[in-house]
Structure formats: C-alpha cells, structure tokens
C-alpha cells in the first residue's frame, strides 16, 4: 500500500535507435508497456510524418477487417478468440511457417491474404445481390399472377353484380349484363363493349407504404381509379440491406392514357415493381406462365442457396482469424504511430523521448539493446536520461483488481499531481464505510454484499466477454460493491436493524414489567436488568433491540447517529488537512507547511476537534451520579444510599429543610444547582448538569469566557485559549505566505524596474488567491461539518422507509387472511427492491461520492496531474475490444 500512497517515480529518457531496428525496438517496448513517448514533431501534420504510408496501410487493413466482421455478423457467427492478450503478444510476428517476420513482411503477407478474401467475398456478395433481385422478381411475379387470377375469378363477378344492382337505374347505356361483360369479359363481337373495357396496372409495393400509395393515386387521378390490394404472406428479402420486408400486391383499374402515365410515375416514386400480365380471360396462357415462373423460381432459389452456403463457409473461415488479424493490425499500427513521434536527426538513426517508470528503466535499456543485437547492426543504440528541466511528469499508479475501481473513482474527479498523496488509498477504506453508515441495514446490506460476491465469482467470464456500458461499470467496481455491502451489514449490526426490525441476538438488557405476560402499556418505563455501568447491563455488540420498541426510539437514534456523523466527518476532514502537511513536507514547501498547514491545524483543532473531544467526554461521564450529587434526598428515604452515586454518602447537619445532598450539603429548599453541586466548575450547572453541546460551541465565539453548563474544571479558560488560536490562525493563513513570497520576489528582482511592475501584479494575484483559499477553508470547515450530517439524514430516511414498508405492507395484512398476506408480501418485496435496493443504493452512493470529492479531497488534493498513457499493446487491444 505504500506504493499506492504516491505515484510511481518517473524518468525522462532519450532513445536513439537504428532505423532498421526501430520496428523491433518498438515492438518489444510495446510488450513492456512502461514508456510514454513525447511527440518530437509537433509542427508536422499527420500526412507529413515519416511512417504515414504504413499507418495508411494499417487503416486499409482495419477497413477490410471491419467489412469481414460485418459479414460474419450477418450470419450470426462469433469471432474466435486467439486466446488471452498475453498469449497473443508472446506469439507475435510468427508467420505461417513458424519463422519470425519483420513488421514490413507481416503487413505485406496480411495485405495479400486479406485482399484475396475481400475480393472473393465481394464477388459472392455482388452475385448474391443479383440472385436475390432475380429471385424476388420471380416471387413477386408468382404472387401477382395468383392474386390477379383470384381477383378476376372471384371478386370481379361479385363487383359486377354489385354495380348492376346499384347503378342500373341511372345509366342509359344498355342492360346491366352488357355493362358487366364490357368491364370484366372480353367480347370481340361488340365494339361498344370494347370501348367500355378498363386497363390495369399490377405490381408489388411495400406494406408500410400502402396507405400513402393509395392516397397518392386517389389524389393524382381525382378518384378515377379502382385500386385493390392483397398481402403477400411471406416477407421478401431486401437485396441491399438483407432485411425482411412485408409487401403486398396491388391492381389498379383506369380508363385514360394520361392516368396511366401518372400511375407509372407514382409507382416509380414509391419503388413499386410493376409487372405485365397476360389477358386474364386466357386461362391456358395464365396457367402456362404460372408453371414456367414456378420452375424458374425453384432454379433461382437453388442457385441462391448455393451462393449463401458458399458465403457462410467463407465467413466461418474468416471468423477463425479475424480477431487475431485485428489485434495484429492494431499492434503494427501502434508501432508506426509511435515511430511518427521520433525525429530523424542523423541519417539512418531515429531519436525519441518519453517518460519511463523509474524501476523499469533497465528493462527498457535491455529491450532496445536486444533488438539491435538480433539485427547484427554496427551502429549501437542509446537510452539515456535527459537532464532537467523536465516537462510535467505524468502520474501513474500500479493497481490490481481490488484497487482499480477506487483509483478510477478518484481519477474521475481529477488526476493526482505527480507524487502527490493519493486519495484513493484512503477512499478504499472510507468510501464503503461511509456508505454503510448511511445504508446500515443487515438485510438490505446482505443483498448488496451477495450481489458483489456474484460479480466477483463471475469475474473471469466477464473479463473475456463483451459487456455493455452499465455491466462493464458494475464489473470494474465489483470489489467496491462487495465492500459497500459488507459495511452496510456491519453498520446494520451496530444499529441492530434488519429490515427495520431489531434482532435480540444476545438478550436485551432492559426489561418492562409484565412484558412476558403481555401486560405492557404505552408509557411504561423499562428498567435495566442490573446496576448502571455494570457488565451485565452492557449489550455485547451494537444497540440494544429494546430501543426499537421504545417510545423515544427516534429521539435516541437521532442523537446517536447525528453525533456519529459529526465525529466521522471531522476525523476525515482533519485527516485530509494532515495529508496537506505531508505533501508540503515531501515537496519541501516550507511556506506552505508553516503558514498554511499549521494555521489550518490550529483552526481545526481549536474548534472542531475540540467539539469531538466534548462529545466523547459527555459520553464517558456518569451523569446519573453527577445529577444525583446535586439532588436533595431525605436521609431516611429509600433513595438514600443508592448505587447510582459513585461517591460516599454523607449525612448533613439537617440545618435546612431536613434533606441532604449525597455529599453532605444541607438543603434549604431555595438552593440552585450550582450551590448543591460539589464540583464547583462554574456556571449555572456547576458541572452537575449535562450540557447542550451545540449551545456550548456557539457560546465559545458569542460569549467568550462564559460556560453555562461546564463539563470539566477550567473549561472557560481553555475555551478562551482555543478561541484565540482559532482567531489568530486566520490572519496568518491569509497574509503570511503572500508576504514572504513578495519578499523573495523583491530580492530576486530588485534591480529591474520593469520586472518590479510584474512582481506587483503577481503579488496581487497571490493575495487574491490566498484570500480565496482562506475563505474556502474557514467557511468550508463549518459548512463541510454540517454536510456530514447527511450520514445521519440518509440513515434515518432508510430506516424510516423500511419501517413504513414493513408496517403498511406486511403487518397490516398479516391479521386479514393468507391471500392478503400474499399480496402484502408482494408489495413489500417490490417496494423494498425498487426503492431501498435500487434507488436508495444509488442515493447513498452519490452522497458518499460527494463527501469524498468535496469535503475530504479539497483539503489537500490538487487534481491537476497528467495521466500516464503508456505505449502498451495490451492496453490498446483491451481498449479496442471494449
């Protein structure tokens, strides 16, 4: 974990390699993944780079591989994996014969092989498209012939009779039988009948265009057409997209030549296929055409299936190699892309610069030397350190499966500055813990914990699978989810809360009179089973379950959780302030340490850490004994000699009203608490009255030197000292650092008037910046402390929602009948899953996220670092796969 506290040390190096061995050098360095190259040719466009032709060749190969992948996906085939990334990288540059190939040879062999496959596949696709078009035409023609014949055989006579019965009285052109024959039958003996015959257009149109097609015909011909449609039951394959399209047959009757021209234009606009039909009255011709087309349809289908089978077998071959080819092209493209960052200072030599992880420097040297030795080159290689000044070093942390999620958690907010204290180290512990504080419930937390364990159990399968964005996020945070569930269960045990119910695991230490016989009434007071403070009255772990059935449950839990929230918040913020001091010491920032860190610590300790101390003091004091010491008791009564008082019981001289305090003060009946208390701490309570801590803290600033209800002796004096420290730290924090910075700049530029103006301007910016820092810290300590109360608020909301769901959905139905209970359980399970296991988990996650990003990290975290992006084949392949 110490390596995770600060980023890896970096070294800026220069590499000088022989141009002939450059490709092998970069291939070995890509396997290491420990160097980040710097572009030494920023003024050159991508097309002016030295190895741009190789990059273009790789782009062309990638295009072909994408084409292969698309064709393979059409058949629903899966790409065969070449194994793990490590196995692939170990077997790099091996040709079909098992001999090692250079990068240029590998590209040439890939280009030849992929060109052959692409040409073959494109020819098959072109032939398939033509065959599909021909087959579709045969299918459509067959459907048109069948539908048209059925129409003329069945619908046409029925329509003719309908026209005779409805329109015969209004026509002066002969009998209804003549009209019927002239419309639907061919009668060459009657010229008048020939004049009454209608022309028709038949074809096929997409079903989704049917309504628009019919409406367009009606508008264009002004209703002077008769249109009928018949659906085609079997969808037809679109030759261009391969998608199945629903189509229908149409037949349009018209009389005018101008209407025919319009109909043809409309059919072309809607991509409707028109077909010429023989005379429907010539039944032998129609049957002959149906038979011929059916035979051609069978032949066309046979050829089409043969073509499809050939394409399928070719795609199966490609599926076995496409993934390996893709990884190979990605690797070679990364090599030449990195070589484009090198500079050719000397003929035949290339020079590159970049950042190397310090502990891997010797591996880089050995890798470069080995590549040159394998090439038997006379010109030696050189890997050497570049003297300062360096550019800004990048930040890199070595993570594992557990720490990766937390590091990305921090990097989302901002990359840590180089060698700055890493917030992720602390976030790994505090984030799931604070989530558990807000979500604390044994039952709900157990569901979350089991969900995280299931993700961990399936991590190997998920590592090798292609996951969607949400599933990939859950997979990367699987250990975080498990830890969140674990701490939610832990906090639930502390709260003794399981689905809003208390668990009597160790036996309650409180007892109601008559609780075993069910005679407890509202308002009864529970008694402890032993003396206050004795071991038998202490619940072994967590809170006593009796609090869940008490009338003051909400008051107790609110007080308990609110104080815990403040304690956790101040501890975390103070830890962030201490990390700022560690950063100042590490970077040698003496001004920051003495005039920023120490005043911050003084301000935080004097007010906020002191508040935590008061909380623990109040918890640790036996207030029953203190309050009893200031209580007047009759020495002859039963209360006298109670074990609640820690001191010795002393009988007074009975000079007052006949009652005494336990320590021997004679009461008069007019004494206040300060007179009866033996502690003499001052104030109205004199130390015998439990204080209101909020009032005490407010009065530190509003009423210095006055403590109404003190806890310890001399509290007023100590609080005055702390107030002076807090007030004195603010001007030091505001003015000290800018003053010393101005003094240093003044000494450096004393002889330069022009630079003096720049120094004055710079000093003003420093003062403004320091004022912002001071205001942010001082006000932030107050507002951030209040912000941590969200721990209490969300925990309260979670427990109250769980209580409402249990009481309204389950308890209210248990006494009705079994069916109502069944329905009630369904409602209870649904609301619990949807609200508490989904929405509330997200809500608590986001609030815990905010507490770390704002309240904790702003105390020390700069978040202006540069991420280390190593030249790594592994990372490139993983990123492309995701």
């Amino acid at each position: 974990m110490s390596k995770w506290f600060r980023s890896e040390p970096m070294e800026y190096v220069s590499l000088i390699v022989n141009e002939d061995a450059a490709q092998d050098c970069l291939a070995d360095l890509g396997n290491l993944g420990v160097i980040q190259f710097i572009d030494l040719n920023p003024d050159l466009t991508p097309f002016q780079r030295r190895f741009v032709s190789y990059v273009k060749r790789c782009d062309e190969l990638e295009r072909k591989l994408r084409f292969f992948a698309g064709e393979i996906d059409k058949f629903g085939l899966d790409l065969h994996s070449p194994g793990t990334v490590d196995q692939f990288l170990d077997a790099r540059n091996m040709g079909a014969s098992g001999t090692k190939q250079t990068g240029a040879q590998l590209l040439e062999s890939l280009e030849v092989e992929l060109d052959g496959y692409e040409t073959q596949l494109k020819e098959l696709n072109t032939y398939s498209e033509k065959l599909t078009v021909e087959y579709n035409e045969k299918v459509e023609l067959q459907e048109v012939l069948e539908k048209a014949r059925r129409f003329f055989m069945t619908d046409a006579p029925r329509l003719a009779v309908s026209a005779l019965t409805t329109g015969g009285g209004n026509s002066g052109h002969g009998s209804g039988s003549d009209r019927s024959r002239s419309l639907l039958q061919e009668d060459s003996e009657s010229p008048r009948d020939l004049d009454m015959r209608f022309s028709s257009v038949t074809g096929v149109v997409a079903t989704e265009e049917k309504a628009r097609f019919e409406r367009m015909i009606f508008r264009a011909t002004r209703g002077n057409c008769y249109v009928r449609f018949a659906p085609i039951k079997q969808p037809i394959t679109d030759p261009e997209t391969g998608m199945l399209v629903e189509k229908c047959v149409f037949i349009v009757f018209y009389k005018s030549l101008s209407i025919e021209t319009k109909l043809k234009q409309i059919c072309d606009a809607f991509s409707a296929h028109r077909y010429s039909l023989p005379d429907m009255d010539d039944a032998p011709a129609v049957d002959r055409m149906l038979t011929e087309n059916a035979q051609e349809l069978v032949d066309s289908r046979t050829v089409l299936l043969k073509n499809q089978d050939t394409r399928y077998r070719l795609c199966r071959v490609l599926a076995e190699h496409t993934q390996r080819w893709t990884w190979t092209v990605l690797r070679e493209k990364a090599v030449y892309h990195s070589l484009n960052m090198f500079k050719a200072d000397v003929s035949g030599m290339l020079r590159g610069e970049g950042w190397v992880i310090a502990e891997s420097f010797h591996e880089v040297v050995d890798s470069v030397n080995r590549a040159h030795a394998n090439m038997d080159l006379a010109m030696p290689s050189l890997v050497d350190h570049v003297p300062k000044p360096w550019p800004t070093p990048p930040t890199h942390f070595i993570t594992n499966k557990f720490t990766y999620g937390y590091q990305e958690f921090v990097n989302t907010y901002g990359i840590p500055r180089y060698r700055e204290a890493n917030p992720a180290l602390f976030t790994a512990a505090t984030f799931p813990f604070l989530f558990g504080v807000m979500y604390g419930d044994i039952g709900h937390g157990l569901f979350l914990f089991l969900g995280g364990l299931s993700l961990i159990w399936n991590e190997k399968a998920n590592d090798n699978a292609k996951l969607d964005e949400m599933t990939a996020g859950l997979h990367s945070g699987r250990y975080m989810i498990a830890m969140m569930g674990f701490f939610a269960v832990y906090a639930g045990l502390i709260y003794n809360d399981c689905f809003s119910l208390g668990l009597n695991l160790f036996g309650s230490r409180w007892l109601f009179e008559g609780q075993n016989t069910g005679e407890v009434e509202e308002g009864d007071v529970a008694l402890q089973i032993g003396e206050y403070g004795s071991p038998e009255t202490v619940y072994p772990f967590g809170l006593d379950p009796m609090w869940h059935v008490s009338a003051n449950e909400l008051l107790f839990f609110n007080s308990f959780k609110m104080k815990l929230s403040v304690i956790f918040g101040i501890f975390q913020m103070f830890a962030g302030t201490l990390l700022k001091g560690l950063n100042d010491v590490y970077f040698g920032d003496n001004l920051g340490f003495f005039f920023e860190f120490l005043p911050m610590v003084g301000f935080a300790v004097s007010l906020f850490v002191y508040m935590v101390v008061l909380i623990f003091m109040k918890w640790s004091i036996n207030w029953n004994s203190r309050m009893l010491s200031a209580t007047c008791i009759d020495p002859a009564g039963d209360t006298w000699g109670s074990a609640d008082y820690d001191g010795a019981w002393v009988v007074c001289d009975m000079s007052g009203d006949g009652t005494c305090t336990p320590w021997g003060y004679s009461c008069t009946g007019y004494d206040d608490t300060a007179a009866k208390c033996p502690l003499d701490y001052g104030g109205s309570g004199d130390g015998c009255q439990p204080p209101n801590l909020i009032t005490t803290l407010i009065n530190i600033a509003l009423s210095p030197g006055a403590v109404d209800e003190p806890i310890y002796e001399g509290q007023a004096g100590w609080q005055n000292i702390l107030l002076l420290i807090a007030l004195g730290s603010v001007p030091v924090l505001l003015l000290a650092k800018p003053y010393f910075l101005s003094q240093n700049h003044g000494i450096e530029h004393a002889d330069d008037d022009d630079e003096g103006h720049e120094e004055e301007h710079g000093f003003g910016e420093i003062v403004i910046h320091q004022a912002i820092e001071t205001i942010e810290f001082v006000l932030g300590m107050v507002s951030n402390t209040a912000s941590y109360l969200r721990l209490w608020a969300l925990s309260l909301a979670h427990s109250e929602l769980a209580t409402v769901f249990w009481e309204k959905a389950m308890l209210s139905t248990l006494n009705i009948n079994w069916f109502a209970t069944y329905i009630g359980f369904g409602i209870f399970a649904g609301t619990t899953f949807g609200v508490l296991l989904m929405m509330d988990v997200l809500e608590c996650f986001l609030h815990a996220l905010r507490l770390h990003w704002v309240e904790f990290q702003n105390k020390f975290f700069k978040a202006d670092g540069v991420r280390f992006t190593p030249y790594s084949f592994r990372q490139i392949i993983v990123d492309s796969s995701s």
Side-chain angles (χ1 to χ4, degrees):
M1 288 299 176
S2 59
K3 293 187 65 175
W4 200 27
F5 182 59
R6 297 196 185 276
S7 60
E8 292 293 315
M10 292 287 173
E11 294 183 0
Y12 194 70
V13 299
S14 174
L15 292 83
I16 299 178
V17 297
N18 192 291
E19 187 170 356
D20 295 333
Q23 201 276 342
D24 284 348
C25 287
L26 270 292
D28 291 339
L29 292 177
N31 287 337
L32 291 178
V34 296
I35 185 170
Q36 175 183 333
F37 289 110
I38 304 298
D39 191 1
L40 301 182
N41 306 298
D43 298 332
L44 297 180
T45 65
F47 300 100
Q48 295 174 328
R49 304 287 175 133
R50 191 178 186 86
F51 297 92
V52 63
S53 60
Y54 291 93
V55 175
K56 289 182 177 180
R57 291 167 64 183
C58 292
D59 288 337
E60 179 63 18
L61 291 175
E62 284 185 324
R63 181 197 62 78
K64 294 176 182 178
L65 290 169
R66 288 194 299 269
F67 169 66
F68 292 162
E71 294 299 315
I72 293 170
D73 188 61
K74 289 180 181 178
F75 287 100
L77 298 174
D78 294 327
L79 298 178
H80 291 202
S81 174
T84 65
V85 178
D86 293 331
Q87 293 172 347
F88 168 76
L89 295 178
D90 291 339
R92 68 178 182 86
N93 288 8
M94 301 303 293
S97 61
T99 58
K100 186 174 181 180
Q101 296 178 325
T102 64
Q105 293 172 341
L106 189 62
L107 282 182
E108 290 176 1
S109 63
L110 272 178
E111 286 173 337
V112 172
E113 190 172 8
L114 297 188
D115 279 341
Y117 282 123
E118 184 187 29
T119 302
Q120 186 178 357
L121 192 55
K122 282 186 174 180
E123 289 178 355
L124 289 172
N125 286 345
T126 303
Y127 192 39
S128 174
E129 188 173 341
K130 292 180 180 178
L131 290 174
T132 303
V133 171
E134 294 178 2
Y135 176 74
N136 289 347
E137 289 177 353
K138 302 296 181 184
V139 172
E140 291 175 356
L141 178 58
Q142 191 77 6
E143 293 288 339
V144 167
L145 285 170
E146 293 178 354
K147 298 293 190 298
R149 184 173 66 171
R150 184 178 301 115
F151 173 78
F152 278 96
M153 291 176 62
T154 58
D155 290 358
R158 178 177 56 81
L159 293 173
V161 173
S162 175
L164 176 63
T165 57
T166 59
N170 297 328
S171 176
H173 299 286
S175 65
S177 60
D178 292 340
R179 188 181 306 112
S180 176
R181 284 197 305 272
S182 65
L183 176 63
L184 300 173
Q185 299 177 6
E186 181 180 3
D187 188 357
S188 57
E189 297 179 359
S190 174
R192 182 171 175 271
D193 289 346
L194 288 175
D195 292 338
M196 291 299 297
R197 288 184 61 84
F198 284 82
S199 300
S200 64
V201 173
T202 55
V204 175
V205 68
T207 303
E208 63 179 9
E209 299 286 352
K210 173 183 172 182
R212 295 176 58 242
F213 181 72
E214 185 176 11
R215 186 164 55 248
M216 181 61 71
I217 291 177
F218 179 81
R219 292 175 178 175
T221 63
R222 298 183 180 180
N224 292 313
C225 283
Y226 179 69
V227 186
R228 293 301 300 271
F229 292 95
I232 301 176
K233 295 182 179 180
Q234 183 178 0
I236 296 177
T237 304
D238 189 334
E240 296 182 358
T241 62
M243 303 295 292
L244 294 177
V245 181
E246 297 284 347
K247 292 191 175 183
C248 60
V249 176
F250 66 87
I251 180 168
V252 184
F253 293 96
Y254 61 93
K255 187 64 177 142
S256 169
L257 183 62
S258 61
I259 292 179
E260 179 180 4
T261 303
K262 292 180 180 180
L263 290 176
K264 290 180 179 180
Q265 292 175 347
I266 293 173
C267 290
D268 294 338
F270 282 86
S271 300
H273 300 158
R274 292 179 284 108
Y275 294 94
S276 299
L277 301 181
D279 189 352
M280 290 292 105
D281 292 332
D282 189 359
V286 174
D287 292 339
R288 185 170 54 255
M289 189 172 184
L290 277 170
T291 304
E292 293 175 356
N293 186 73
Q295 183 60 40
E296 293 177 0
L297 185 62
V298 173
D299 296 340
S300 179
R301 178 178 175 79
T302 303
V303 178
L304 182 61
L305 291 177
K306 184 66 175 177
N307 174 273
Q308 186 176 1
D309 182 64
T310 304
R311 289 168 54 218
Y312 176 77
R313 285 187 281 108
L314 178 59
C315 287
R316 284 188 60 184
V317 173
L318 293 175
E320 296 179 359
H321 304 286
T322 298
Q323 191 71 51
R324 177 174 58 83
W325 289 335
T326 302
W327 288 4
T328 301
V329 173
L330 285 172
R331 184 187 63 206
E332 296 303 316
K333 184 179 179 181
V335 169
Y336 292 113
H337 178 73
S338 298
L339 285 175
N340 278 333
M341 299 182 184
F342 282 54
K343 200 165 188 175
D345 294 329
V346 181
S347 177
M349 302 297 290
L350 295 176
R351 177 175 61 88
E353 294 180 0
W355 292 103
V356 175
I357 301 175
E359 65 178 14
S360 303
F361 173 76
H362 295 292
E363 295 182 22
V364 173
V365 175
D366 295 340
S367 179
V368 174
N369 291 336
R370 184 170 57 252
H372 278 73
N374 292 338
M375 297 290 292
D376 294 328
L377 297 173
M379 296 290 291
S381 62
L382 177 64
V383 181
D384 199 5
H385 300 281
V386 175
K388 295 183 179 182
W390 292 343
T392 302
T395 302
H396 176 66
F397 295 97
I398 297 177
T399 58
N400 53 35
K401 292 185 291 186
F402 179 82
T403 60
Y404 171 79
Y406 295 103
Q407 190 61 58
E408 290 302 310
F409 181 95
V410 171
N411 291 347
T412 303
Y413 178 81
I415 306 298
R417 184 179 289 183
Y418 177 67
R419 303 295 289 170
E420 179 184 26
N422 184 17
L425 174 63
F426 307 93
T427 300
T430 57
F431 176 79
F433 177 76
L434 292 184
F435 174 88
V437 171
M438 290 184 281
Y439 195 72
D441 188 286
I442 299 172
H444 302 147
L446 188 61
F447 277 105
L448 189 60
F449 180 62
L450 293 177
L453 290 183
S454 67
L455 289 172
I456 295 173
W457 180 265
N458 297 315
E459 69 175 20
K460 289 186 178 179
N462 292 332
D463 282 337
N464 300 322
K466 289 187 176 181
L467 307 175
D468 57 82
E469 184 177 359
M470 187 177 72
T471 308
L474 293 175
H475 173 64
S476 62
R478 56 195 181 278
Y479 290 97
M480 183 186 296
I481 294 173
M483 291 295 292
M484 288 160 54
F486 172 80
F487 279 106
V489 173
Y490 173 77
L493 290 171
I494 295 295
Y495 301 153
N496 202 343
D497 201 349
C498 181
F499 296 111
S500 78
L501 302 176
L503 301 180
N504 194 9
L505 300 176
F506 306 104
S508 176
R509 269 47 176 175
W510 295 85
L511 185 66
F512 285 100
E513 291 185 7
Q515 73 176 31
N516 295 327
T517 59
E519 298 176 357
V520 181
E521 297 181 359
E522 187 173 353
D524 289 350
V525 179
L527 301 176
Q528 287 187 314
I529 61 175
E531 294 183 1
Y532 178 83
S534 61
E536 61 267 19
T537 62
V538 179
Y539 197 73
F541 187 82
L543 298 177
D544 196 295
M546 194 63 75
W547 285 110
H548 286 277
V549 297
S550 63
N552 57 342
E553 171 197 4
L554 193 59
L555 182 64
F556 170 78
F557 276 100
N558 278 348
S559 176
F560 173 72
K561 293 180 179 180
M562 183 170 62
K563 289 184 175 65
L564 277 184
S565 301
V566 172
I567 292 171
F568 292 150
I570 291 175
F571 276 172
Q572 188 174 32
M573 290 190 296
F574 190 67
T577 306
L578 295 180
L579 288 176
K580 173 178 171 53
L582 291 178
N583 283 337
D584 291 337
V585 172
Y586 181 83
F587 292 113
D589 186 3
N590 294 328
L591 290 178
F593 181 82
F594 289 106
F595 302 115
E596 282 188 339
F597 168 68
L598 291 182
M600 287 179 179
V601 169
F603 184 84
V605 169
S606 59
L607 295 179
F608 298 94
V609 177
Y610 177 67
M611 176 170 60
V612 175
V613 172
L614 289 182
I615 292 174
F616 280 104
M617 289 184 68
K618 184 178 179 180
W619 279 348
S620 62
I621 291 173
N622 186 352
W623 290 105
N624 285 342
S625 176
R626 283 200 180 187
M627 289 189 293
L628 189 60
S629 67
T631 303
C632 295
I633 304 173
D634 185 1
D638 295 336
T639 309
W640 189 264
S642 171
D644 290 341
Y645 181 60
D646 294 337
W649 289 81
V650 179
V651 179
C652 62
D653 56 7
M654 309 295 288
S655 60
D657 58 2
T659 58
C660 304
T661 62
W663 56 279
Y665 177 79
S666 180
C667 299
T668 63
Y670 302 100
D671 305 304
D672 56 11
T673 303
K676 293 183 289 184
C677 182
L679 299 178
D680 197 22
Y681 291 167
S684 63
D686 207 30
C688 291
Q689 187 72 23
N692 186 322
L693 293 183
I694 296 178
T695 303
T696 301
L697 293 169
I698 292 175
N699 287 338
I700 292 178
L702 298 184
S703 301
V707 181
D708 189 50
E709 297 172 340
I711 297 179
Y712 60 91
E713 187 176 3
Q715 183 174 346
W718 281 108
Q719 289 184 173
N720 285 338
I721 295 174
L722 294 176
L723 180 61
L724 290 175
I725 294 174
L727 294 177
S729 62
V730 175
V732 175
L733 182 62
L734 176 63
L735 300 174
K737 186 175 180 179
Y739 171 76
F740 285 104
L741 285 176
S742 67
Q743 292 296 107
N744 293 338
H745 282 293
I747 294 173
E748 293 174 3
H749 305 300
D751 299 330
D752 194 337
D753 293 335
D754 294 334
E755 289 185 5
H757 292 290
E758 294 179 2
E759 173 233 331
E760 182 180 354
H761 177 69
F763 175 71
E765 289 184 346
I766 292 173
V767 171
I768 294 173
H769 174 75
Q770 194 66 23
I772 294 174
E773 291 284 341
T774 302
I775 295 172
E776 182 180 4
F777 177 79
V778 173
L779 297 182
M781 284 298 296
V782 179
S783 63
N784 293 348
T785 302
S787 181
Y788 274 94
L789 292 177
R790 71 185 68 235
L791 298 174
W792 155 56
L794 267 76
S795 177
L796 174 65
H798 182 92
S799 62
E800 291 302 307
L801 280 173
T803 302
V804 169
F805 293 158
W806 171 258
E807 292 180 352
K808 301 303 181 183
M810 287 299 296
L811 287 184
S812 61
T813 59
L814 284 175
N815 297 325
I816 301 177
N817 53 52
W818 67 269
F819 184 75
T821 303
Y822 180 79
I823 298 297
F825 176 77
I827 297 174
F828 172 74
T831 53
T832 298
F833 177 79
V835 177
L836 297 179
L837 293 179
M838 299 295 290
M839 293 175 57
D840 200 37
V841 167
L842 180 60
E843 183 182 16
C844 293
F845 179 92
L846 293 176
H847 281 281
L849 179 71
R850 180 242 155 79
L851 290 177
H852 283 78
W853 278 2
V854 179
E855 276 71 20
F856 173 57
Q857 292 180 182
N858 70 352
K859 300 294 183 293
F860 69 98
F861 190 41
K862 300 299 182 183
D864 57 356
V866 179
R867 188 166 192 163
F868 180 61
T869 54
Y871 166 64
S872 170
F873 293 150
R874 166 188 287 277
Q875 193 61 43
I876 292 171
I877 292 174
V878 169
D879 291 343
S880 67
S881 299
S882 60

